[in-house]
Amino acid sequence: MKYTDKMLREGALKGKNIVVTGGGSGLGKSMTRYFLELGAKVAITSRNLEKLKNTAKELEDETGSTCLPLQCDVRHYDQVEEMKNQVIEAFGTVDVLLNNAAGNFISPTERLSANAFDTIIDIVLKGTKNCTLAFGKHWIDTQYKNTTVLNIVTTYAWTGSAYVVPSATAKAGVLAMTRSLAVEWAKYGMRFNAIAPGPFPTKGAWDRLVPGDLAEKLDFSKRVPLSRTGEHQELANLAAYLVSDFSAYVNGEVITIDGGEWIKGAGQFNLLEQVPEEMWDQLEAMIRAKKNK
Ligand code: COA
């Protein structure tokens, strides 16, 4: 078995209707593809309808399942409501909301205009809030149960990170929302979980986060204890599990999938991995010698 193999059994998402925001490209597209392969119907949303239509056609041809492209800027509540109404009209019900749409770019914070900061907060935090509120209220009003909201956050949602401060601020808010509503809305039959991915290369994110030859200079795979970046199928496997009924008892959880990247930065002595093997004999001798003094 390989780690890029598909994890869930055939038909594991049959009967599930799923909305994936930002589903037209990148990780959203990869997760959508796998949901369709597992038998779900998926509505994908973004600002760019042409791109969505192309993706929907490509994925329908590939998987034989239904993929509905819907234009929606998650920053605007009226557009989210409209999108929700269109999905309900097409699918009848919605079982899963995957808040995947995001915006981010690297910048020293002092270079950001107030509008630049707002733009990221609006897409990430307000967008997630808009979709969660629209679908959550709908599920409550119709007493439709066994629903799931899955939010994509990031490992710096709890550590913070320099140079992506609006994103860190917004993702921290999304994480707080995930955990809060996991408790408050469990009584309505909703589950809330989050995934915190480490480096999973996609064109959209890489162009904005490691532009030019920065990717080579920073070499993300060197930051990861497992010495590699993530494969999209690995993330799709985890997402499919979390939106499936196999995870019915998982609620309020954030699952990190980063090869150990963030914890490597946290452990005080983790940098000792740079010490060559042969030096450990000397170091051990020096430490043991202290005992007799
Ligand atoms: N550095 C500093 N400021 C920047 C910037 C950069 N690299 N890129 C955009 N901005 C500023 C703009 O100047 C503008 O502020 P201003 O009006 O004060 O000048 C503000 O951010 C909004 O930019 P704009 O291009 O008008 O917004 P948009 O809604 O069209 O695009 C972005 C939103 C900037 C987040 C764009 O990168 C995007 O669409 N991203 C979506 C996909 C994505 O980010 N994927 C990666 C996820 S990890």
Side-chain angles (χ1 to χ4, degrees), residues 19 21 45 70-88 97 99 101 122-123 126-136 138:
V19 173
T21 66
T45 81
L70 292 174
Q71 188 167 31
C72 172
D73 186 334
V74 292
R75 291 175 280 194
H76 304 294
Y77 194 75
D78 53 343
Q79 291 190 32
V80 171
E81 273 283 321
E82 178 57 27
M83 177 270 284
K84 181 206 75 187
N85 292 338
Q86 287 174 301
V87 190
I88 301 290
L97 167 66
N99 284 307
D122 285 354
I123 299 171
K126 224 171 114 183
T128 301
K129 176 273 292 179
N130 284 343
C131 295
T132 303
L133 207 54
F135 284 95
H138 170 75

Side-chain angles (χ1 to χ4, degrees), residues 47 75 102-107 111-113 115-116 119-120 123 204-205 208-209:
R47 287 172 293 176
R75 291 175 280 194
N104 198 6
F105 53 79
I106 49 167
S107 176
R111 291 173 63 103
L112 295 174
S113 67
N115 184 44
T119 301
I120 304 304
I123 299 171
R208 294 175 177 88
L209 300 179

Side-chain angles (χ1 to χ4, degrees), residues 98-154:
L98 171 46
N99 284 307
N100 163 75
N104 198 6
F105 53 79
I106 49 167
S107 176
T109 307
E110 68 275 17
R111 291 173 63 103
L112 295 174
S113 67
N115 184 44
F117 207 119
D118 283 350
T119 301
I120 304 304
I121 299 279
D122 285 354
I123 299 171
V124 177
L125 181 54
K126 224 171 114 183
T128 301
K129 176 273 292 179
N130 284 343
C131 295
T132 303
L133 207 54
F135 284 95
K137 282 175 179 231
H138 170 75
W139 289 328
I140 293 168
D141 289 347
T142 57
Q143 295 183 20
Y144 190 70
K145 294 198 162 57
N146 193 23
T147 53
T148 294
V149 176
L150 179 61
N151 294 326
I152 303 298
V153 294
T154 164

Side-chain angles (χ1 to χ4, degrees), residues 50-271:
E50 275 318 296
K51 189 161 101 180
L52 284 176
K53 281 182 178 166
N54 290 338
T55 298
K57 178 158 186 341
E58 178 193 327
L59 296 183
E60 283 194 339
D61 290 348
E62 235 177 85
T63 64
S65 296
T66 304
C67 187
L68 177 71
L70 292 174
Q71 188 167 31
C72 172
D73 186 334
V74 292
R75 291 175 280 194
H76 304 294
Y77 194 75
D78 53 343
Q79 291 190 32
V80 171
E81 273 283 321
E82 178 57 27
M83 177 270 284
K84 181 206 75 187
N85 292 338
Q86 287 174 301
V87 190
I88 301 290
E89 201 182 313
F91 291 172
T93 52
V94 168
D95 304 277
V96 175
L97 167 66
L98 171 46
N99 284 307
N100 163 75
N104 198 6
F105 53 79
I106 49 167
S107 176
T109 307
E110 68 275 17
R111 291 173 63 103
L112 295 174
S113 67
N115 184 44
F117 207 119
D118 283 350
T119 301
I120 304 304
I121 299 279
D122 285 354
I123 299 171
V124 177
L125 181 54
K126 224 171 114 183
T128 301
K129 176 273 292 179
N130 284 343
C131 295
T132 303
L133 207 54
F135 284 95
K137 282 175 179 231
H138 170 75
W139 289 328
I140 293 168
D141 289 347
T142 57
Q143 295 183 20
Y144 190 70
K145 294 198 162 57
N146 193 23
T147 53
T148 294
V149 176
L150 179 61
N151 294 326
I152 303 298
V153 294
T154 164
T155 49
Y156 58 69
W158 54 90
T159 60
S161 176
Y163 301 101
V164 283
V165 171
S167 170
T169 309
K171 293 287 192 182
V174 173
L175 184 55
M177 201 192 312
T178 309
R179 289 173 168 154
S180 306
L181 289 175
V183 175
E184 190 179 331
W185 280 357
K187 60 177 177 280
Y188 299 119
M190 293 179 221
R191 290 189 298 127
F192 286 78
N193 290 297
I195 296 178
F200 279 80
T202 66
K203 189 170 167 10
W206 248 226
D207 284 352
R208 294 175 177 88
L209 300 179
V210 279
D213 61 1
L214 206 54
E216 283 158 43
K217 287 208 172 97
L218 295 181
D219 193 356
F220 268 76
S221 60
K222 287 213 183 95
R223 294 174 41 79
V224 179
L226 293 178
S227 306
R228 66 174 178 85
T229 52
E231 294 285 340
H232 285 208
Q233 187 60 41
E234 296 179 278
L235 183 75
N237 282 340
L238 178 57
Y241 165 71
L242 286 174
V243 303
S244 78
D245 292 335
F246 289 114
S247 62
Y249 203 48
V250 182
N251 186 31
E253 192 51 85
V254 52
I255 300 186
T256 302
I257 177 164
D258 74 341
E261 185 201 27
W262 90 265
I263 211 96
K264 180 177 174 178
Q268 195 174 18
F269 288 97
N270 287 349
L271 79 176

